Amino acid sequence: MTVLDLNCDVAEGFGAWRIADDDALLAVVSSANIACGFHAGDPGTMRRACDTAVRHGVAIGAHVGYRDLPGFGRRFIDVDPASLTDDVLYQLGALSAFATAAGGRIGYVKPHGALYGAIGHDDAQAGAVVEAVRQFDPALPVLGMPGSRWLALAEKAGLPTVHEAFLDRGYTPDGLLVSRRAPGALLSDPAAVARRCERLVAKGEIVAVDGTVLPVSARSVCVHSDTPGSLELARAARAALTGAGVELRSFV
């Protein structure tokens, strides 16, 4: 039986604003990327997400990002590497407090949005995030896309690395994610997400927006909570994966 993790971004509201039904999503997924208050989230939102994740046996991941609440962390910030290390370490400490209070712990780190994209190719910023994780816990796994500088530098630093694939995002022919400003960036049809799951399990492939077939090796698959219909997408993914004989289990 194939074992896969299904991860989803949660706690990305702020104050009275809610981006998704976090409680319902946490009943579906096996790992939760919990926003740490910089790109989204606030103390109450973070606490509720940790409490719910622990109650459902869902792994807690730190979803760290740029200090950019107005832009939802989707704008590149040319921050000094030393400052970026401090920012990420600060976020890890904040989430760790709520995870511990809930009876859990941070199980892994997954950067968010523009930071995730930047550390795919920018050695300075990737190294800064790796250093923050190393200082926090040198045994903490990190999640990212195969071939990214982030994972390469993390592995060099001795951090456990985990490859992921995206169920609700379009891929370019060279295996990167389609820009959110471009056509084909999102898959919001549950049937399309289910088909991607089935092909990924059966053949280890994802089809890019131009029809290119991409070989993909992933231990975790992701749905974004801000994709329209995210709960239905997550449920469709879970049904398709388990229907294909996959055991859904976190990698931590």
Side-chain angles (χ1 to χ4, degrees):
M1 177 180 285
T2 300
V3 178
L4 281 175
D5 170 58
L6 176 59
N7 78 77
C8 185
D9 306 341
V10 297
E12 291 191 312
F14 186 85
W17 176 54
R18 295 288 178 267
I19 200 167
D21 187 342
D22 287 347
D23 288 349
L25 283 167
L26 288 167
V28 175
V29 300
S30 51
S31 292
N33 316 314
I34 298 180
C36 299
F38 269 36
H39 77 276
D42 58 28
T45 304
M46 294 163 68
R47 178 186 283 276
R48 285 191 297 273
C50 287
D51 288 345
T52 307
V54 169
R55 188 166 66 249
H56 286 293
V58 171
I60 293 173
H63 205 30
V64 298
Y66 288 129
R67 189 192 300 262
D68 181 26
L69 283 173
F72 196 60
R74 292 211 169 116
R75 301 180 293 191
F76 171 73
I77 299 177
D78 190 14
V79 61
D80 173 77
S83 296
L84 182 56
T85 294
D86 291 345
D87 282 353
V88 171
L89 192 57
Y90 183 98
Q91 293 174 77
L92 292 172
L95 184 64
S96 181
F98 291 117
T100 299
R105 64 178 181 86
I106 293 179
Y108 65 96
V109 178
K110 175 183 173 179
H112 164 82
L115 180 60
Y116 188 102
I119 64 177
H121 59 83
D122 186 314
D123 275 19
Q125 291 210 352
V129 180
V130 167
E131 180 59 17
V133 178
R134 189 196 65 77
Q135 290 181 20
F136 179 78
D137 181 352
L140 197 61
V142 298
L143 187 59
M145 288 185 72
S148 65
R149 295 302 299 156
W150 153 241
L151 291 190
L153 294 178
E155 186 172 354
K156 185 176 180 181
L159 299 175
T161 59
V162 181
H163 293 177
E164 75 170 332
F166 291 89
L167 301 179
D168 60 347
R169 291 295 311 277
Y171 278 76
T172 67
D174 53 0
L176 301 176
L177 297 182
V178 173
S179 167
R180 287 180 175 270
R181 296 184 294 274
L186 296 178
L187 277 70
S188 55
D189 177 8
V193 167
R195 289 193 297 272
R196 174 167 286 185
C197 289
E198 291 162 357
R199 183 161 188 160
L200 188 61
V201 173
K203 299 183 178 181
E205 298 173 347
I206 282 177
V207 180
V209 290
D210 70 340
T212 300
V213 176
L214 304 170
V216 174
S217 175
R219 174 64 179 82
S220 184
V221 290
C222 174
V223 171
H224 292 85
S225 64
D226 65 320
T227 299
S230 58
L231 179 56
E232 289 72 25
L233 300 183
R235 286 171 171 164
R238 184 181 182 93
L241 291 169
T242 56
V246 171
E247 177 186 356
L248 285 182
R249 189 174 72 219
S250 173
F251 50 86
V252 299

